[in-house]
Amino acid sequence: MSVAPVETAGSTFLFGRDNSNRLIAPEWPRMAVPMVLITIVIAALHLVLPVIATVLLAALAAMTAHLSKFAVKAEGERQLETGSRMALAGLAVALPMFLFGSAMGLWGSSGQVGWFYCLAAVATISLLATVIQSGRLVSVLAAQVSIWSGMTCVASTLAGYLSLIVGVAIAIAAYYRQRKIDLLQREKSESDQRAQTRAQEILSDYEETGQGWFWETDRRGQLTYLSTPVAEILGKPVEELVGRPFAELFNLSEQSGEGERTLAFHLSARSSFSELAVRAATPEEERWWSITGRPTYDTFNNFTGFRGSGTDLTEKRRSQEHASRLAHFDSLTGLSNRFRMSQTLEKILLAPQVQHRACSVFLLDLDRFKQVNDTLGHPAGDALLKQVAQRLERVVGKMGRVGRLGGDEFQVILPGKIEREQLGHLASRIIESLSQPYSIEGSRVMIGASVGIALAPDDGVTSEALIRNADLALYAAKDGGRGRYHFYAADLHSDAEERRKMEEDLRDAVSNGGLELYYQPVVQTSTEKITGFEALLRWNHPEQGWISPARFIPIAEDTGLIAPIGEWALRTACQDLARWPENVRVAVNVSPLQFANPSLPIIVTNALATAQVAAERLELEITESVFLNDDEGTDHMFKSLKAIGVRLALDDFGTGYSSLGYLRSAPFDKIKIDQSFVRGATQPGSRNGAIISSIVSLAEALGMETTAEGVETLDELDLVRMLGCSHVQGYIYERPLSSMNAAARLSTGLMAIAQGPRSARAARQSMLRKVVLDHGGHRYNAMVRNISQTGALIEGLWNVPSGTIFRVLLADNHAVTATCRWSNEDRMGVEFSMPLRLDETGRIAAVAGKPPALAEADSVVQRKVG
């Protein structure tokens, strides 16, 4: 291994550019010739024979110079220490020069020749020595000092000694300088050797571990080197592959034409290539390599071949293929995923020819799928989705592409222009097929499907517009009762636009203080005194008037506004509470989203501290839905709230979560009985009274209070008092009051007087029945509270003008025309155009069957009409 010279400061000047930093020039032995010739020339010019001492010294100098070839050889072949090298330089350079200088000095002192000739001889030899030892300052100085010292010693002893002293000093300095450079050179050599060894070991490990391999070819493309692991993969020894064409390592016949031409092009054009994917010529297993190569050239710029490396690409390609499949197909059902369906739709809508841009989009949503997940578990839900996917593909067949967008949402894209009637038949077949029973883990499962349909270009020319409109059509299908299909219509945008506008207005109301709190008294049944109020959120819209919380609370929860609204309600209720008597409490509803916020205890604490009211005067009403994700976080939140000292009430008990297990650990102070159990509890044959009694007994056993909500008649009040309810809340005592009116009411005392009808009119049937109202082509969801042959009390629409005419869909196949006669907030009384028929039991026949399906099965959507 050749080692580059050590570039130490001054080394080039001192020792020349010899790679080995030699002190003696290889040409130095030739100095014997000019020493002899100069002596002969001077003798010939003066026609004298030199004195014997001169002859001996000159001959000895020439002989010593000639014998220096052994010193040159020793310095070049052996690794000598610095002292040995300096000694050799002294013998090979300094000694012959000193002898020659002494010879010339003696000759000049003898008088045979003039000093001029002797000095000329010494100067000439000195100049030749400088030329030969050019760049080696140590040798040049040694030669100069030695030759002139030799002459000086003859002419003057003192001067000679001084010269020798100077020469010795220079020799010592040169020695230490040379020693330092030798040490640096040795360290550099050893370091380079270690680096080269380490590099070789790393490359060997790199090859042996299979991380990569190396190859080299000659100018004809034949292998001159190949890593052993590659040969083992190919099933051949390295010796057999060396000398064979490089291209034989690969199976180019299965590559695309482009890939084969690319490899051939680089090899023939002698150009570099990087990470070129090629298939290995393996006999059995399919393997892929990524190869990199570059051409090599000699010092005359002649092409000598290629040199490069390679890495195994097999696992990476498999991962890429798997990732590509995951990126385009649903991992559960194998259907196209959202991304691939979007690509398919974009490709159709951006077709070069307009007539090819027509297509139809079906959006499907499974009905009652969540119940399967909740009852049988998610594995059963996954198995159901697989069967749904198979049925969809069978029904659609080659007409279009089926995809799963996520969850229980599916999409079908049908290219080309298809008549609406044909699309309706296909949608019906899809719904019929998906509604057939499924067998999941030995259980018989029934679900349904709703379909929304949008057509291009009629319903949109962009994928965004088409999907949006199909989604609106899907919601319309659900509103119509689920298990049906619906084509997109322009008026479907009105509901979406109404929601968007309400969201914007709600944000403005939150920012500008447009919301209000109203308070409904809670009365203790034993004393008929007001013990507290429930804070109810109200929104008086500047244009639409009072808007029901049933409309804007879901929007607030969807948009995240419920957090700031809830915090504002807590602070406002506590501030109003601070102005009320000490023995009056306030109850504030806490949504599940608020309850899940870890900062809720801090918010409650700050609200109490700011208003400076006692914690036990604040009651937080929490619904059963917070227990759906029953975990340590729920328990921790209850403990944190109770640590503050606030009271906790379970709101709408019996209407949500079906398990009673949470009552064992949840530290509730009160259970609120939902008004749906109070309604009709006094009617003959009603079981609501038994349910109320059971709830009261359960609460008493757990040491909790009970509040019956929605009490409106005296007989309902008597019933809940008789059944043991500790508190009552409802119109029988008071409607919700503004903050100012609540304070005024308290100023008159805490006694509450029940005022209202003795009972519901005998001719009316009390109920809690969902109906659909049709007004001017718009449909509204509402709730019938009671009904007679000539009219009904309907709840759900706010501030309906008197005289407004509706079509009331009482059952799936029974509708009646009704006129609004009065309205108060979200309630109105309607009069039917024709009396309703009674059945043989004396009940209204129209409401004996199933109620019409509504847009949302679990809530009443309340709207303002007129």
Side-chain angles (χ1 to χ4, degrees):
M1 178 183 70
S2 62
V3 181
V6 182
E7 294 295 336
T8 307
S11 63
T12 301
F13 179 69
L14 287 173
F15 309 109
R17 296 188 178 277
D18 193 322
N19 289 341
S20 60
N21 286 339
R22 295 178 183 178
L23 297 179
I24 308 171
E27 301 84 6
W28 181 252
R30 299 175 186 175
M31 279 296 297
V33 177
M35 288 181 179
V36 173
L37 287 178
I38 286 177
T39 304
I40 294 173
V41 169
I42 294 175
L45 288 175
H46 292 82
L47 299 176
V48 294
L49 290 174
V51 295
I52 188 64
T54 300
V55 173
L56 290 175
L57 287 174
L60 186 58
M63 184 179 298
T64 306
H66 178 67
L67 293 177
S68 67
K69 62 184 179 180
F70 296 105
V72 172
K73 183 177 181 182
E75 188 182 19
E77 294 179 353
R78 300 177 184 177
Q79 295 292 332
L80 300 177
E81 297 294 333
T82 304
S84 301
R85 295 178 65 200
M86 296 292 290
L88 280 178
L91 291 174
V93 178
L95 181 58
M97 295 295 284
F98 182 82
L99 292 175
F100 186 79
S102 298
M104 292 299 104
L106 288 174
W107 203 4
S109 300
S110 66
Q112 285 184 323
V113 295
W115 276 102
F116 171 76
Y117 293 99
C118 294
L119 290 173
V122 170
T124 301
I125 293 301
S126 175
L127 181 61
L128 288 175
T130 301
V131 172
I132 292 174
Q133 296 288 358
S134 176
R136 295 173 176 83
L137 184 57
V138 171
S139 298
V140 171
L141 291 175
Q144 296 292 337
V145 171
S146 297
I147 194 170
W148 291 108
S149 296
M151 176 173 279
T152 305
C153 286
V154 175
S156 171
T157 304
L158 180 61
Y161 284 134
L162 290 174
S163 299
L164 288 176
I165 291 172
V166 173
V168 171
I170 292 175
I172 293 172
Y175 167 77
Y176 283 106
R177 178 68 176 173
Q178 180 64 36
R179 185 172 180 275
K180 180 180 179 181
I181 292 175
D182 287 347
L183 290 175
L184 290 174
Q185 182 180 5
R186 182 179 301 173
E187 292 176 0
K188 178 67 165 55
S189 176
E190 292 175 353
S191 176
D192 291 345
Q193 183 66 37
R194 287 195 301 269
Q196 184 175 13
T197 302
R198 185 163 54 250
Q200 290 175 346
E201 291 175 351
I202 292 174
L203 291 177
S204 178
D205 291 342
Y206 186 72
E207 291 180 326
E208 291 176 0
T209 55
Q211 299 180 55
W213 46 276
F214 301 96
W215 56 273
E216 186 180 47
T217 68
D218 57 17
R219 59 186 181 85
R220 295 174 297 175
Q222 296 178 341
L223 288 167
T224 57
Y225 175 81
L226 185 66
S227 298
T228 303
V230 176
E232 294 175 352
I233 292 174
L234 295 174
K236 298 179 181 179
V238 175
E239 296 76 13
E240 183 179 337
L241 293 174
V242 171
R244 301 296 301 170
F246 175 61
E248 288 188 2
L249 300 180
F250 317 112
N251 186 356
L252 300 179
S253 60
E254 295 188 17
Q255 300 232 27
S256 63
E258 181 183 357
E260 185 176 351
R261 287 196 302 273
T262 301
L263 178 60
F265 169 79
H266 287 299
L267 294 177
S268 60
R270 300 175 180 176
S271 62
S272 299
F273 53 90
S274 177
E275 298 182 357
L276 186 65
V278 290
R279 181 176 177 181
T282 48
E284 299 177 358
E285 182 185 7
E286 180 180 341
R287 299 185 72 93
W288 288 84
W289 289 330
S290 174
I291 57 173
T292 298
R294 64 179 182 83
T296 57
Y297 299 89
D298 58 17
T299 54
F300 300 100
N301 204 29
N302 294 320
F303 174 70
T304 58
F306 273 89
R307 182 180 299 160
S309 61
T311 56
D312 194 295
L313 200 62
T314 307
E315 291 301 325
K316 184 177 180 181
R317 282 183 66 92
R318 290 174 182 169
S319 298
Q320 288 177 343
E321 291 174 358
H322 180 64
S324 176
R325 177 164 184 81
L326 290 178
H328 293 84
F329 294 90
D330 177 54
S331 58
L332 177 64
T333 62
L335 299 176
S336 298
N337 62 8
R338 183 185 296 271
F339 176 72
R340 189 162 187 253
M341 295 299 287
S342 177
Q343 283 187 323
T344 301
L345 187 57
E346 288 284 355
K347 185 176 180 181
I348 295 174
L349 297 178
L350 297 177
Q353 298 181 359
V354 177
Q355 62 269 27
H356 294 159
R357 298 176 187 172
C359 66
S360 305
V361 176
F362 286 17
L363 284 184
L364 293 84
D365 190 73
L366 302 183
D367 302 330
R368 299 184 298 279
F369 174 75
K370 186 177 183 299
Q371 298 177 10
V372 177
N373 269 343
D374 293 343
T375 56
L376 299 180
H378 288 282
D382 292 344
L384 177 60
L385 290 175
K386 292 179 182 178
Q387 294 189 33
V388 168
Q390 294 169 0
R391 295 188 184 185
L392 270 176
E393 287 191 304
R394 283 199 300 267
V395 175
V396 176
K398 297 182 180 180
M399 290 183 62
R401 173 164 291 171
V402 180
R404 179 182 175 224
L405 303 183
D408 61 344
E409 295 181 87
F410 293 83
Q411 186 182 56
V412 178
I413 299 177
L414 307 170
K417 186 172 180 59
I418 304 176
E419 296 297 329
R420 287 178 177 260
E421 183 179 359
Q422 188 177 354
L423 292 174
H425 288 320
L426 176 61
S428 297
R429 292 202 308 271
I430 290 175
I431 295 172
E432 181 182 0
S433 174
L434 299 185
S435 300
Q436 297 301 313
Y438 298 81
S439 178
I440 307 294
E441 298 178 355
S443 300
R444 188 170 181 266
V445 175
M446 294 287 292
I447 62 171
S450 301
V451 182
I453 307 173
L455 285 66
D458 299 345
D459 303 330
V461 294
T462 65
S463 59
E464 294 81 3
L466 209 58
I467 296 299
R468 181 182 66 249
N469 293 338
D471 197 40
L472 291 174
L474 173 61
Y475 278 105
K478 292 180 179 180
D479 288 343
R482 300 178 181 268
R484 61 183 65 191
Y485 65 88
H486 199 289
F487 285 92
Y488 167 76
D491 59 358
L492 295 180
H493 274 289
S494 60
D495 290 341
E497 179 61 24
E498 180 183 351
R499 179 184 174 89
R500 185 195 64 77
K501 182 65 167 59
M502 182 172 291
E503 179 183 337
E504 293 180 356
D505 293 344
L506 181 59
R507 291 185 183 277
D508 293 339
V510 173
S511 302
N512 303 326
L515 299 177
E516 300 178 52
L517 283 185
Y518 271 58
Y519 299 93
Q520 186 171 34
V522 178
V523 179
Q524 190 172 23
T525 55
S526 60
T527 62
E528 286 199 309
K529 287 186 177 181
I530 297 175
T531 60
F533 292 87
E534 179 183 0
L536 302 173
L537 196 61
R538 294 291 183 263
W539 180 17
N540 191 0
H541 193 280
E543 297 177 0
Q544 302 181 36
W546 294 100
I547 296 180
S548 169
R551 292 180 62 195
F552 67 83
I553 289 297
I555 296 176
E557 292 178 340
D558 292 343
T559 58
L561 290 173
I562 194 65
I565 291 175
E567 184 173 352
W568 169 83
L570 272 170
R571 293 184 181 276
T572 304
C574 289
Q575 290 170 3
D576 291 338
L577 180 63
R579 296 190 291 269
W580 297 345
E582 292 291 335
N583 55 348
V584 174
R585 294 192 294 261
V586 68
V588 180
N589 288 277
V590 175
S591 74
L593 293 179
Q594 288 177 270
F595 189 83
N597 183 6
S599 301
L600 178 60
I602 299 176
I603 295 172
V604 173
T605 303
N606 291 339
L608 291 170
T610 302
Q612 296 184 351
V613 296
E616 61 270 14
R617 297 182 62 196
L618 175 63
E619 189 170 86
L620 301 180
E621 295 190 1
I622 301 168
T623 61
E624 294 172 303
S625 58
V626 300
F627 297 99
L628 290 176
N629 295 322
D630 194 9
D631 53 20
E632 294 181 0
T634 303
D635 295 337
H636 179 72
M637 179 61 71
F638 276 120
K639 292 178 181 178
S640 300
L641 293 175
K642 289 303 291 183
I644 298 172
V646 298
R647 290 169 53 88
L648 299 178
L650 180 58
D651 197 15
D652 299 334
F653 180 74
T655 62
Y657 194 48
S658 59
S659 173
L660 298 178
Y662 56 83
L663 289 178
R664 293 178 300 179
S665 57
F668 288 111
D669 301 286
K670 177 188 290 186
I671 294 179
K672 301 194 71 174
I673 303 172
D674 189 72
Q675 60 182 345
S676 60
F677 297 116
V678 177
R679 291 286 181 272
T682 59
Q683 297 297 320
S686 174
R687 298 180 180 180
N688 289 2
I691 295 175
I692 296 173
S693 178
S694 299
I695 296 174
V696 171
S697 298
L698 176 64
E700 290 178 349
L702 296 174
M704 302 177 186
E705 298 176 353
T706 52
T707 295
E709 295 183 291
V711 178
E712 298 183 354
T713 63
L714 293 173
D715 59 349
E716 290 174 348
L717 176 61
D718 293 339
L719 176 65
V720 297
R721 181 184 285 117
M722 180 188 67
L723 295 177
C725 290
S726 60
H727 293 79
V728 170
Q729 177 181 340
Y731 289 174
I732 191 65
Y733 283 113
E734 198 78 63
R735 292 179 178 273
L737 305 171
S738 65
S739 175
M740 182 181 302
N741 291 337
R745 172 66 182 82
L746 289 174
S747 65
T748 64
L750 299 180
M751 290 300 299
I753 301 175
Q755 295 179 344
R758 164 51 55 184
S759 64
R761 281 166 286 184
R764 289 180 174 263
Q765 294 178 209
S766 296
M767 62 177 59
L768 190 66
R769 182 184 185 86
K770 296 178 180 179
V771 294
V772 175
L773 305 182
D774 187 299
H775 172 73
H778 294 280
R779 290 193 165 196
Y780 304 90
N781 299 334
M783 188 77 71
V784 173
R785 289 296 185 179
N786 54 61
I787 191 172
S788 68
Q789 285 185 278
T790 58
L793 174 64
I794 297 179
E795 180 179 277
L797 281 78
W798 283 67
N799 302 328
V800 178
S802 298
T804 303
I805 298 176
F806 294 93
R807 287 282 292 172
V808 182
L809 185 63
L810 296 174
D812 286 337
N813 56 358
H814 195 288
V816 61
T817 302
T819 304
C820 175
R821 295 307 180 191
W822 62 268
S823 68
N824 186 3
E825 294 187 348
D826 63 334
R827 294 189 169 197
M828 66 175 175
V830 299
E831 180 182 2
F832 298 139
S833 59
M834 294 181 62
L836 299 180
R837 184 176 60 84
L838 299 177
D839 61 12
E840 53 271 12
T841 63
R843 298 178 62 84
I844 304 298
V847 297
K850 288 175 55 180
L854 301 182
E856 298 293 340
D858 57 348
S859 66
V860 179
V861 179
Q862 302 182 3
R863 305 170 188 264
K864 176 182 179 297
V865 179

